[in-house]
Amino acid sequence: MTQQYGEFENLFIKAQEGSMSEQEKELFNQLLELPENQQAFFEMVKVNCALMQLEMPDSSYAQPPVSKFDINLWLELVNKENMAPAIETDICDTVKPVGKVKIIPAAFLSFALSVAAVLMIMLSVHFFTLSGNNGSAKLVDTMDVGWSNASIPGIGSELTRVRGGYKLSSGVVKMLFDSGAQVVVESPAEFEIVSGNEMKLNSGSIFAKVPTQAIGFTVVTPKCSVIDLGTEFGVKLLKDGSTELHVNRGRTMLIDASSNTEREVLAGSAVKVSNDRVVSDITCQPQLFARDIISDAGIVWRGGTKLSMADIVGGGNGWGTGKAETAINPATGKFGSYSAFTRQADGAYVKVDSGKKSYIDGVFVPAGPFQVVTSRGDKFNECPETNGTYYAEIINGAGLNLSGNADANMLKLGNKNYGTADYPAIVMHPNVGITFDLENITSEVPDGKVSRFTADVGLSSAMVRSNHYSSVVPRESNAVVWLLIDGKVVFSAKLDNPQEVKQIDIEIPETAKYLTLVTTDAKGKGDNEFLNGLYPDSSWCIVAKPELVMSAR
Protein backbone atom coordinates (compact mmCIF):
# COMPACT_ATOMS: atom_id res chain seq x y z
CA MET A 1 0.00 0.00 0.00
CA THR A 2 2.73 2.45 0.87
CA GLN A 3 4.11 2.25 -2.68
CA GLN A 4 0.90 3.42 -4.32
CA TYR A 5 1.24 7.06 -3.34
CA GLY A 6 3.79 9.82 -3.15
CA GLU A 7 6.09 10.60 -0.27
CA PHE A 8 3.65 12.95 1.44
CA GLU A 9 0.73 10.49 1.36
CA ASN A 10 2.94 7.67 2.60
CA LEU A 11 4.08 9.76 5.53
CA PHE A 12 0.49 10.62 6.37
CA ILE A 13 -0.54 6.99 6.45
CA LYS A 14 2.43 6.15 8.66
CA ALA A 15 1.43 8.96 11.00
CA GLN A 16 -2.10 7.58 11.16
CA GLU A 17 -0.79 4.14 11.98
CA GLY A 18 1.52 5.55 14.67
CA SER A 19 4.69 4.33 12.98
CA MET A 20 6.23 7.68 12.02
CA SER A 21 9.77 8.36 13.26
CA GLU A 22 10.99 11.73 14.51
CA GLN A 23 12.89 12.28 11.26
CA GLU A 24 9.76 11.50 9.25
CA LYS A 25 7.73 13.90 11.38
CA GLU A 26 10.22 16.64 10.61
CA LEU A 27 10.04 15.86 6.89
CA PHE A 28 6.24 15.81 7.03
CA ASN A 29 6.25 19.27 8.63
CA GLN A 30 8.45 20.54 5.83
CA LEU A 31 6.11 19.16 3.20
CA LEU A 32 3.20 20.90 4.87
CA GLU A 33 4.94 24.21 4.16
CA LEU A 34 4.02 23.81 0.50
CA PRO A 35 0.89 25.75 -0.56
CA GLU A 36 -0.44 22.85 -2.64
CA ASN A 37 -0.32 20.57 0.38
CA GLN A 38 -2.04 23.17 2.51
CA GLN A 39 -4.76 23.52 -0.15
CA ALA A 40 -5.33 19.78 -0.22
CA PHE A 41 -5.29 19.72 3.57
CA PHE A 42 -8.24 22.12 3.79
CA GLU A 43 -10.24 20.07 1.34
CA MET A 44 -9.59 16.86 3.26
CA VAL A 45 -10.49 18.48 6.58
CA LYS A 46 -13.92 19.27 5.18
CA VAL A 47 -14.41 15.69 4.05
CA ASN A 48 -13.17 14.37 7.37
CA CYS A 49 -15.52 16.64 9.29
CA ALA A 50 -18.50 15.34 7.32
CA LEU A 51 -17.50 11.75 7.98
CA MET A 52 -17.04 12.30 11.70
CA GLN A 53 -20.52 13.77 12.05
CA LEU A 54 -22.39 10.80 10.59
CA GLU A 55 -24.68 9.64 13.41
CA MET A 56 -21.92 9.79 16.00
CA PRO A 57 -23.34 9.08 19.49
CA ASP A 58 -23.40 12.13 21.70
CA SER A 59 -21.66 10.44 24.62
CA SER A 60 -19.17 8.33 22.70
CA TYR A 61 -16.41 8.92 20.23
CA ALA A 62 -16.15 5.34 19.08
CA GLN A 63 -15.35 4.62 15.47
CA PRO A 64 -18.49 4.76 13.26
CA PRO A 65 -19.70 1.58 11.58
CA VAL A 66 -17.89 0.76 8.36
CA SER A 67 -21.22 0.52 6.58
CA LYS A 68 -21.60 4.25 6.81
CA PHE A 69 -18.67 4.79 4.47
CA ASP A 70 -19.94 3.59 1.12
CA ILE A 71 -18.87 4.51 -2.38
CA ASN A 72 -21.90 6.72 -3.02
CA LEU A 73 -20.99 8.89 -0.07
CA TRP A 74 -17.41 9.21 -1.21
CA LEU A 75 -18.39 10.07 -4.78
CA GLU A 76 -20.85 12.66 -3.53
CA LEU A 77 -18.23 14.24 -1.31
CA VAL A 78 -15.67 14.24 -4.12
CA ASN A 79 -18.19 15.91 -6.40
CA LYS A 80 -18.84 18.61 -3.81
CA GLU A 81 -15.15 19.25 -3.41
CA ASN A 82 -14.59 19.52 -7.16
CA MET A 83 -17.31 22.16 -7.42
CA ALA A 84 -16.22 24.05 -4.30
CA PRO A 85 -14.85 27.58 -4.76
CA ALA A 86 -11.12 28.10 -4.50
CA ILE A 87 -9.80 28.54 -0.98
CA GLU A 88 -8.84 32.06 0.07
CA THR A 89 -5.08 32.48 -0.13
CA ASP A 90 -4.89 34.55 3.04
CA ILE A 91 -5.95 31.53 5.05
CA CYS A 92 -3.19 29.29 3.75
CA ASP A 93 -0.64 30.41 6.28
CA THR A 94 2.29 28.18 7.04
CA VAL A 95 1.16 24.93 8.62
CA LYS A 96 3.44 23.73 11.38
CA PRO A 97 2.20 20.37 12.62
CA VAL A 98 2.71 19.30 16.19
CA GLY A 99 0.59 16.72 17.90
CA LYS A 100 -2.49 14.84 16.70
CA VAL A 101 -5.80 15.24 14.86
CA LYS A 102 -8.97 13.25 14.41
CA ILE A 103 -8.66 11.16 11.29
CA ILE A 104 -10.74 8.71 9.33
CA PRO A 105 -9.83 5.01 9.29
CA ALA A 106 -6.84 4.12 7.11
CA ALA A 107 -8.79 1.88 4.75
CA PHE A 108 -11.24 4.61 3.90
CA LEU A 109 -8.49 7.18 3.59
CA SER A 110 -6.75 4.93 1.05
CA PHE A 111 -10.01 4.56 -0.85
CA ALA A 112 -10.49 8.32 -0.90
CA LEU A 113 -6.97 8.83 -2.22
CA SER A 114 -7.77 6.43 -5.04
CA VAL A 115 -11.06 8.11 -5.92
CA ALA A 116 -9.76 11.69 -6.09
CA ALA A 117 -6.20 12.91 -5.95
CA VAL A 118 -7.37 16.32 -4.76
CA LEU A 119 -8.42 14.67 -1.50
CA MET A 120 -5.01 13.16 -0.91
CA ILE A 121 -4.38 14.51 2.57
CA MET A 122 -6.13 15.25 5.68
CA LEU A 123 -3.52 15.95 8.22
CA SER A 124 -3.47 18.72 10.71
CA VAL A 125 -0.83 18.84 13.29
CA HIS A 126 -2.55 16.69 15.77
CA PHE A 127 -3.40 13.05 15.20
CA PHE A 128 -6.39 12.23 17.43
CA THR A 129 -8.20 8.93 16.95
CA LEU A 130 -11.95 8.82 16.92
CA SER A 131 -12.08 6.60 19.95
CA GLY A 132 -9.75 8.67 22.11
CA ASN A 133 -10.31 11.50 24.54
CA ASN A 134 -6.65 12.41 24.81
CA GLY A 135 -5.55 15.97 25.39
CA SER A 136 -6.73 18.82 27.49
CA ALA A 137 -6.84 22.59 27.81
CA LYS A 138 -5.01 24.81 30.27
CA LEU A 139 -6.70 27.68 32.09
CA VAL A 140 -4.36 30.57 31.27
CA ASP A 141 -6.28 33.62 32.54
CA THR A 142 -9.45 34.55 34.42
CA MET A 143 -11.37 37.66 35.42
CA ASP A 144 -13.96 37.90 38.22
CA VAL A 145 -14.76 34.20 37.95
CA GLY A 146 -17.15 32.05 39.89
CA TRP A 147 -17.61 28.31 39.34
CA SER A 148 -20.62 26.17 40.20
CA ASN A 149 -18.49 23.04 40.29
CA ALA A 150 -17.35 21.58 43.59
CA SER A 151 -13.77 21.61 42.33
CA ILE A 152 -12.77 25.14 41.37
CA PRO A 153 -9.91 25.37 38.87
CA GLY A 154 -7.39 28.20 39.11
CA ILE A 155 -5.03 29.79 36.61
CA GLY A 156 -2.62 27.14 35.34
CA SER A 157 -5.05 24.29 36.00
CA GLU A 158 -5.42 21.56 33.42
CA LEU A 159 -8.99 21.16 32.21
CA THR A 160 -9.79 17.64 31.04
CA ARG A 161 -12.81 15.56 30.12
CA VAL A 162 -14.68 15.21 33.40
CA ARG A 163 -18.19 14.08 34.21
CA GLY A 164 -20.56 17.04 34.20
CA GLY A 165 -18.05 19.35 32.56
CA TYR A 166 -17.42 22.86 33.86
CA LYS A 167 -20.01 25.41 34.95
CA LEU A 168 -18.92 29.04 34.88
CA SER A 169 -21.40 31.09 36.90
CA SER A 170 -19.65 34.46 36.61
CA GLY A 171 -16.70 36.13 34.93
CA VAL A 172 -14.62 35.26 31.89
CA VAL A 173 -11.92 32.61 31.39
CA LYS A 174 -9.30 31.99 28.71
CA MET A 175 -8.15 28.48 27.83
CA LEU A 176 -5.34 27.21 25.65
CA PHE A 177 -5.93 23.78 24.15
CA ASP A 178 -3.11 21.33 23.56
CA SER A 179 -3.52 21.92 19.84
CA GLY A 180 -2.83 25.64 20.22
CA ALA A 181 -6.44 26.82 19.89
CA GLN A 182 -7.30 29.65 22.27
CA VAL A 183 -10.86 29.86 23.59
CA VAL A 184 -12.46 32.55 25.74
CA VAL A 185 -15.61 31.51 27.62
CA GLU A 186 -17.99 34.13 29.00
CA SER A 187 -20.41 33.37 31.83
CA PRO A 188 -22.90 32.02 32.42
CA ALA A 189 -21.74 28.98 30.51
CA GLU A 190 -21.46 25.22 30.72
CA PHE A 191 -18.84 23.43 28.66
CA GLU A 192 -16.85 20.21 28.39
CA ILE A 193 -13.34 19.46 27.21
CA VAL A 194 -13.56 16.57 24.75
CA SER A 195 -9.94 16.48 23.63
CA GLY A 196 -6.98 18.73 22.99
CA ASN A 197 -8.73 20.04 19.90
CA GLU A 198 -12.45 19.76 20.64
CA MET A 199 -14.96 21.04 23.17
CA LYS A 200 -18.69 20.87 23.81
CA LEU A 201 -20.65 24.02 24.58
CA ASN A 202 -23.91 23.29 26.39
CA SER A 203 -24.80 26.90 27.22
CA GLY A 204 -23.27 30.35 27.06
CA SER A 205 -20.84 31.74 24.52
CA ILE A 206 -17.24 31.22 23.44
CA PHE A 207 -14.79 32.90 21.09
CA ALA A 208 -12.11 30.76 19.46
CA LYS A 209 -8.87 31.86 17.88
CA VAL A 210 -7.37 28.98 15.95
CA PRO A 211 -3.81 29.04 14.57
CA THR A 212 -2.86 26.98 11.55
CA GLN A 213 -1.51 24.11 13.61
CA ALA A 214 -4.91 23.70 15.30
CA ILE A 215 -7.05 23.74 12.16
CA GLY A 216 -9.91 21.32 12.61
CA PHE A 217 -10.71 22.59 16.10
CA THR A 218 -14.33 21.66 16.78
CA VAL A 219 -17.07 23.13 18.95
CA VAL A 220 -20.02 20.79 19.45
CA THR A 221 -23.35 22.29 20.49
CA PRO A 222 -26.76 20.69 21.03
CA LYS A 223 -27.88 21.80 17.56
CA CYS A 224 -24.75 21.60 15.42
CA SER A 225 -20.99 21.34 15.25
CA VAL A 226 -18.63 24.07 14.13
CA ILE A 227 -15.34 22.95 12.59
CA ASP A 228 -12.58 25.47 12.12
CA LEU A 229 -10.81 25.78 8.79
CA GLY A 230 -8.35 28.45 9.91
CA THR A 231 -10.17 31.31 11.58
CA GLU A 232 -11.53 33.30 14.50
CA PHE A 233 -15.17 32.73 15.36
CA GLY A 234 -17.74 33.07 18.12
CA VAL A 235 -20.49 30.62 19.09
CA LYS A 236 -23.43 31.68 21.23
CA LEU A 237 -26.25 29.53 22.59
CA LEU A 238 -29.45 31.49 23.13
CA LYS A 239 -32.11 30.85 25.76
CA ASP A 240 -34.62 29.72 23.12
CA GLY A 241 -32.37 26.80 22.20
CA SER A 242 -30.94 28.27 19.02
CA THR A 243 -27.25 28.60 18.17
CA GLU A 244 -25.44 31.50 16.52
CA LEU A 245 -22.12 31.34 14.69
CA HIS A 246 -20.25 34.59 13.95
CA VAL A 247 -17.05 34.33 11.88
CA ASN A 248 -14.57 37.14 12.33
CA ARG A 249 -11.74 35.86 10.15
CA GLY A 250 -11.12 32.90 7.86
CA ARG A 251 -13.74 30.20 7.38
CA THR A 252 -15.64 27.53 9.26
CA MET A 253 -17.81 24.53 8.47
CA LEU A 254 -21.17 24.20 10.21
CA ILE A 255 -22.56 20.67 10.27
CA ASP A 256 -25.87 19.33 11.59
CA ALA A 257 -25.89 15.58 11.03
CA SER A 258 -29.53 15.15 12.06
CA SER A 259 -30.76 17.44 9.29
CA ASN A 260 -27.98 16.60 6.81
CA THR A 261 -26.88 20.24 6.86
CA GLU A 262 -23.37 21.18 5.80
CA ARG A 263 -22.60 24.85 5.32
CA GLU A 264 -19.40 26.83 4.96
CA VAL A 265 -19.50 30.15 6.84
CA LEU A 266 -16.87 32.70 5.81
CA ALA A 267 -15.30 35.77 7.37
CA GLY A 268 -17.78 38.57 8.03
CA SER A 269 -20.73 36.18 7.93
CA ALA A 270 -23.00 34.73 10.60
CA VAL A 271 -25.76 32.13 10.74
CA LYS A 272 -28.39 31.08 13.23
CA VAL A 273 -29.54 27.51 13.75
CA SER A 274 -33.03 27.65 15.22
CA ASN A 275 -34.44 25.26 17.76
CA ASP A 276 -36.12 23.35 14.92
CA ARG A 277 -32.76 23.26 13.06
CA VAL A 278 -33.52 25.85 10.37
CA VAL A 279 -30.34 27.66 9.31
CA SER A 280 -30.66 31.35 8.42
CA ASP A 281 -28.27 34.22 7.72
CA ILE A 282 -27.88 36.94 10.37
CA THR A 283 -25.67 40.02 10.76
CA CYS A 284 -22.15 39.20 11.89
CA GLN A 285 -21.45 40.84 15.25
CA PRO A 286 -18.09 39.63 16.59
CA GLN A 287 -18.17 42.45 19.16
CA LEU A 288 -20.81 40.43 21.03
CA PHE A 289 -18.08 38.13 22.28
CA ALA A 290 -15.34 38.51 24.84
CA ARG A 291 -12.47 37.80 22.47
CA ASP A 292 -9.58 38.00 24.89
CA ILE A 293 -8.81 38.91 28.48
CA ILE A 294 -5.73 40.37 30.16
CA SER A 295 -6.44 40.28 33.86
CA ASP A 296 -3.28 42.17 34.82
CA ALA A 297 -4.51 45.14 32.81
CA GLY A 298 -8.19 44.67 33.69
CA ILE A 299 -9.07 44.15 30.03
CA VAL A 300 -11.96 42.16 28.64
CA TRP A 301 -11.41 42.76 24.95
CA ARG A 302 -14.35 42.58 22.54
CA GLY A 303 -12.42 43.58 19.47
CA GLY A 304 -12.54 47.31 20.08
CA THR A 305 -10.61 49.32 17.53
CA LYS A 306 -10.35 52.65 19.33
CA LEU A 307 -8.61 53.14 22.64
CA SER A 308 -9.51 56.25 24.67
CA MET A 309 -6.56 58.35 25.82
CA ALA A 310 -8.86 60.29 28.16
CA ASP A 311 -9.74 57.05 29.92
CA ILE A 312 -6.02 56.38 30.40
CA VAL A 313 -5.56 59.83 31.97
CA GLY A 314 -8.30 58.78 34.38
CA GLY A 315 -6.20 55.79 35.45
CA GLY A 316 -7.97 53.34 33.13
CA ASN A 317 -6.88 50.90 30.46
CA GLY A 318 -8.36 52.80 27.54
CA TRP A 319 -11.49 50.64 27.33
CA GLY A 320 -13.63 52.44 29.91
CA THR A 321 -12.16 51.59 33.30
CA GLY A 322 -10.86 55.10 34.05
CA LYS A 323 -12.38 57.38 36.66
CA ALA A 324 -14.01 60.60 35.47
CA GLU A 325 -12.97 63.96 36.91
CA THR A 326 -9.58 62.70 38.00
CA ALA A 327 -6.25 64.07 36.88
CA ILE A 328 -2.46 63.81 36.81
CA ASN A 329 -0.29 66.51 38.31
CA PRO A 330 2.25 67.52 35.60
CA ALA A 331 4.85 68.48 38.21
CA THR A 332 4.67 65.32 40.36
CA GLY A 333 3.22 62.60 38.12
CA LYS A 334 0.65 61.68 40.78
CA PHE A 335 -2.93 60.63 40.02
CA GLY A 336 -5.67 62.28 42.06
CA SER A 337 -7.91 65.31 42.24
CA TYR A 338 -7.26 68.70 40.70
CA SER A 339 -7.54 72.35 41.55
CA ALA A 340 -7.20 75.77 39.93
CA PHE A 341 -4.38 78.03 40.97
CA THR A 342 -1.07 79.10 39.49
CA ARG A 343 1.96 76.95 40.32
CA GLN A 344 5.57 77.07 39.26
CA ALA A 345 7.57 74.07 37.94
CA ASP A 346 11.11 73.56 36.72
CA GLY A 347 10.44 71.77 33.42
CA ALA A 348 11.60 68.40 34.73
CA TYR A 349 10.29 65.25 33.07
CA VAL A 350 8.50 63.13 35.69
CA LYS A 351 7.80 59.41 35.30
CA VAL A 352 4.24 58.26 36.04
CA ASP A 353 4.01 55.13 38.17
CA SER A 354 0.60 53.48 38.05
CA GLY A 355 1.74 50.34 39.85
CA LYS A 356 1.53 48.15 36.72
CA LYS A 357 2.65 48.30 33.11
CA SER A 358 1.83 51.96 32.67
CA TYR A 359 0.32 53.32 29.50
CA ILE A 360 1.63 56.77 30.51
CA ASP A 361 5.37 57.26 30.37
CA GLY A 362 5.53 60.64 32.07
CA VAL A 363 4.36 64.26 32.39
CA PHE A 364 6.01 67.68 32.50
CA VAL A 365 5.51 71.45 32.55
CA PRO A 366 7.18 72.66 29.34
CA ALA A 367 9.81 75.31 29.95
CA GLY A 368 11.44 76.01 26.60
CA PRO A 369 13.58 74.65 23.73
CA PHE A 370 15.06 71.16 24.08
CA GLN A 371 12.41 70.15 26.61
CA VAL A 372 12.79 66.46 27.53
CA VAL A 373 9.51 64.67 26.72
CA THR A 374 10.24 60.95 27.23
CA SER A 375 11.98 58.77 29.78
CA ARG A 376 14.33 57.78 26.96
CA GLY A 377 15.50 61.37 26.72
CA ASP A 378 13.80 62.44 23.47
CA LYS A 379 13.67 66.25 23.26
CA PHE A 380 11.06 68.69 22.02
CA ASN A 381 13.49 71.01 20.26
CA GLU A 382 10.82 73.41 19.00
CA CYS A 383 9.21 73.93 22.41
CA PRO A 384 8.59 77.67 22.90
CA GLU A 385 9.97 79.44 25.95
CA THR A 386 7.26 79.57 28.61
CA ASN A 387 6.97 81.10 32.06
CA GLY A 388 7.11 77.62 33.61
CA THR A 389 3.72 77.82 35.27
CA TYR A 390 0.59 75.70 35.12
CA TYR A 391 -2.89 76.45 36.41
CA ALA A 392 -4.63 73.05 36.47
CA GLU A 393 -3.71 69.38 36.31
CA ILE A 394 -4.16 67.22 33.19
CA ILE A 395 -7.81 66.20 33.62
CA ASN A 396 -9.94 63.32 32.39
CA GLY A 397 -13.38 64.94 32.21
CA ALA A 398 -14.83 68.42 32.07
CA GLY A 399 -13.07 69.99 35.02
CA LEU A 400 -16.37 70.42 36.85
CA ASN A 401 -14.70 70.42 40.24
CA LEU A 402 -12.64 73.52 39.58
CA SER A 403 -13.39 76.37 41.98
CA GLY A 404 -16.34 78.41 40.78
CA ASN A 405 -16.98 76.13 37.78
CA ALA A 406 -19.91 73.90 38.68
CA ASP A 407 -21.51 74.49 35.29
CA ALA A 408 -22.00 71.26 33.38
CA ASN A 409 -21.52 73.23 30.16
CA MET A 410 -18.09 74.41 31.17
CA LEU A 411 -16.26 72.64 28.37
CA LYS A 412 -18.10 72.92 25.12
CA LEU A 413 -16.46 72.34 21.76
CA GLY A 414 -18.33 72.47 18.48
CA ASN A 415 -21.70 72.64 20.30
CA LYS A 416 -20.96 69.45 22.22
CA ASN A 417 -20.33 69.16 25.91
CA TYR A 418 -17.19 67.15 26.41
CA GLY A 419 -15.83 65.33 29.41
CA THR A 420 -18.74 62.85 29.46
CA ALA A 421 -18.82 59.07 28.95
CA ASP A 422 -20.09 59.53 25.39
CA TYR A 423 -17.77 62.43 24.59
CA PRO A 424 -14.58 61.97 26.61
CA ALA A 425 -11.95 64.67 26.71
CA ILE A 426 -8.64 65.67 28.23
CA VAL A 427 -8.48 69.18 29.69
CA MET A 428 -5.00 70.64 29.17
CA HIS A 429 -4.77 74.25 30.37
CA PRO A 430 -1.28 75.50 29.42
CA ASN A 431 1.45 74.80 30.23
CA VAL A 432 1.35 70.98 30.47
CA GLY A 433 2.57 67.90 28.62
CA ILE A 434 1.88 64.17 28.80
CA THR A 435 3.60 61.26 27.04
CA PHE A 436 1.96 57.89 26.37
CA ASP A 437 3.93 54.65 26.05
CA LEU A 438 2.82 53.12 22.75
CA GLU A 439 4.81 49.92 23.22
CA ASN A 440 3.13 49.15 26.54
CA ILE A 441 -0.28 49.90 25.06
CA THR A 442 0.30 47.70 22.01
CA SER A 443 1.66 44.83 24.09
CA GLU A 444 -1.67 44.56 25.90
CA VAL A 445 -3.97 44.95 22.90
CA PRO A 446 -4.70 41.45 21.57
CA ASP A 447 -3.76 41.01 17.91
CA GLY A 448 -3.56 44.75 17.42
CA LYS A 449 -1.17 47.55 16.69
CA VAL A 450 -1.51 51.31 16.96
CA SER A 451 -2.03 52.78 13.51
CA ARG A 452 -3.43 56.32 13.97
CA PHE A 453 -4.16 59.03 16.52
CA THR A 454 -7.33 61.08 16.13
CA ALA A 455 -8.85 63.93 18.13
CA ASP A 456 -10.59 67.28 17.88
CA VAL A 457 -8.86 70.17 19.62
CA GLY A 458 -10.02 73.64 20.48
CA LEU A 459 -10.87 76.12 23.23
CA SER A 460 -13.90 75.95 25.45
CA SER A 461 -16.69 78.15 24.14
CA ALA A 462 -18.76 78.02 27.36
CA MET A 463 -16.58 79.31 30.17
CA VAL A 464 -18.24 80.37 33.41
CA ARG A 465 -17.78 84.06 34.21
CA SER A 466 -16.52 84.80 37.69
CA ASN A 467 -14.53 87.66 39.19
CA HIS A 468 -12.25 89.57 36.87
CA TYR A 469 -9.05 88.12 38.28
CA SER A 470 -10.09 84.48 38.00
CA SER A 471 -8.71 82.55 35.07
CA VAL A 472 -12.18 81.19 34.33
CA VAL A 473 -13.12 84.57 32.91
CA PRO A 474 -12.43 84.28 29.19
CA ARG A 475 -10.07 87.20 28.96
CA GLU A 476 -7.86 86.37 26.03
CA SER A 477 -7.50 82.72 25.04
CA ASN A 478 -4.29 82.13 23.20
CA ALA A 479 -2.57 78.74 23.23
CA VAL A 480 -0.76 76.24 21.02
CA VAL A 481 -1.38 72.49 21.04
CA TRP A 482 1.37 70.13 19.92
CA LEU A 483 1.50 66.44 19.02
CA LEU A 484 4.86 64.68 19.03
CA ILE A 485 5.97 61.17 18.12
CA ASP A 486 9.26 60.18 19.72
CA GLY A 487 9.99 63.85 20.34
CA LYS A 488 9.33 64.96 16.74
CA VAL A 489 6.50 67.42 16.04
CA VAL A 490 3.88 65.90 13.75
CA PHE A 491 1.07 68.40 14.43
CA SER A 492 0.69 71.87 15.93
CA ALA A 493 -2.12 74.41 15.92
CA LYS A 494 -2.62 77.84 17.44
CA LEU A 495 -5.87 78.11 19.39
CA ASP A 496 -7.24 81.62 19.71
CA ASN A 497 -10.87 81.30 18.61
CA PRO A 498 -13.28 79.39 20.90
CA GLN A 499 -15.57 78.75 17.92
CA GLU A 500 -12.94 76.93 15.89
CA VAL A 501 -12.32 73.20 16.08
CA LYS A 502 -9.20 71.67 14.61
CA GLN A 503 -8.91 67.99 13.72
CA ILE A 504 -5.96 65.71 14.32
CA ASP A 505 -5.61 62.54 12.26
CA ILE A 506 -2.03 61.31 12.26
CA GLU A 507 -0.62 57.99 11.10
CA ILE A 508 1.65 56.36 13.67
CA PRO A 509 4.63 54.36 12.40
CA GLU A 510 5.03 50.81 13.68
CA THR A 511 8.41 51.80 15.09
CA ALA A 512 6.94 54.60 17.26
CA LYS A 513 7.58 54.28 20.97
CA TYR A 514 6.09 57.46 22.47
CA LEU A 515 3.21 59.85 21.72
CA THR A 516 3.22 63.25 23.45
CA LEU A 517 0.52 65.91 23.82
CA VAL A 518 1.61 69.41 24.86
CA THR A 519 -0.15 72.72 25.37
CA THR A 520 1.76 75.98 25.72
CA ASP A 521 0.72 79.57 26.29
CA ALA A 522 1.14 81.23 22.91
CA LYS A 523 2.25 84.52 24.44
CA GLY A 524 5.40 83.08 25.92
CA LYS A 525 7.49 84.03 28.91
CA GLY A 526 6.90 87.43 30.50
CA ASP A 527 4.12 88.40 28.10
CA ASN A 528 1.06 87.66 30.24
CA GLU A 529 -1.35 90.24 31.50
CA PHE A 530 -1.32 89.35 35.19
CA LEU A 531 1.20 88.83 37.97
CA ASN A 532 4.29 89.96 36.10
CA GLY A 533 4.09 87.20 33.54
CA LEU A 534 3.63 84.36 36.01
CA TYR A 535 -0.05 83.81 35.29
CA PRO A 536 -1.07 81.72 32.30
CA ASP A 537 -3.89 83.02 30.15
CA SER A 538 -7.43 81.65 30.27
CA SER A 539 -6.84 79.04 27.57
CA TRP A 540 -8.96 76.05 28.47
CA CYS A 541 -7.75 73.63 25.81
CA ILE A 542 -9.88 70.61 25.07
CA VAL A 543 -8.49 67.48 23.42
CA ALA A 544 -11.83 65.94 22.51
CA LYS A 545 -12.29 62.19 21.90
CA PRO A 546 -8.55 61.51 21.80
CA GLU A 547 -8.25 57.97 20.46
CA LEU A 548 -5.62 55.53 19.32
CA VAL A 549 -6.98 53.65 16.33
CA MET A 550 -5.99 50.00 16.39
CA SER A 551 -5.58 47.71 13.41
CA ALA A 552 -4.76 44.04 13.01
CA ARG A 553 -1.12 43.04 12.96
Side-chain angles (χ1 to χ4, degrees), residues 5 24 32 35 78 84 98 100-101 107-108 142 146 149 197 261 345 357 388 403 423 428 457 477 490 492 514:
Y5 311 112
E24 288 171 327
L32 274 176
V78 170
V98 283
K100 300 185 177 182
V101 78
F108 302 111
T142 67
N149 299 66
N197 206 39
T261 298
K357 184 183 288 187
S403 177
Y423 298 102
M428 297 184 66
V457 296
S477 298
V490 294
S492 65
Y514 300 106

Side-chain angles (χ1 to χ4, degrees), residues 317-466:
N317 57 26
W319 307 104
T321 62
K323 188 176 180 181
E325 299 305 320
T326 59
I328 305 172
N329 189 310
T332 67
K334 302 297 183 183
F335 285 89
S337 59
Y338 54 86
S339 54
F341 66 95
T342 303
R343 286 153 281 182
Q344 194 79 27
D346 60 6
Y349 186 78
V350 182
K351 281 282 292 179
V352 173
D353 184 7
S354 63
K356 56 183 179 182
K357 184 183 288 187
S358 180
Y359 291 175
I360 300 174
D361 182 63
V363 291
F364 56 96
V365 176
F370 308 106
Q371 170 70 47
V372 174
V373 295
T374 74
S375 60
R376 188 174 62 184
D378 297 303
K379 294 180 179 179
F380 177 14
N381 295 333
E382 298 89 344
C383 181
E385 191 173 11
T386 74
N387 56 29
T389 63
Y390 67 101
Y391 184 70
E393 285 75 7
I394 303 168
I395 306 168
N396 168 39
L400 299 179
N401 298 335
L402 292 173
S403 177
N405 295 314
D407 189 343
N409 294 320
M410 177 185 168
L411 293 181
K412 179 172 285 189
L413 185 65
N415 295 319
K416 290 182 180 178
N417 292 329
Y418 282 91
T420 65
D422 292 333
Y423 298 102
I426 305 175
V427 178
M428 297 184 66
H429 193 296
N431 294 288
V432 297
I434 181 170
T435 297
F436 298 89
D437 190 321
L438 298 178
E439 283 190 353
N440 281 353
I441 291 172
T442 302
S443 69
E444 293 190 341
V445 176
D447 290 333
K449 65 178 181 180
V450 176
S451 59
R452 309 192 71 81
F453 172 77
T454 62
D456 289 341
V457 296
L459 298 167
S460 174
S461 57
M463 298 301 298
V464 179
R465 293 184 178 274
S466 185

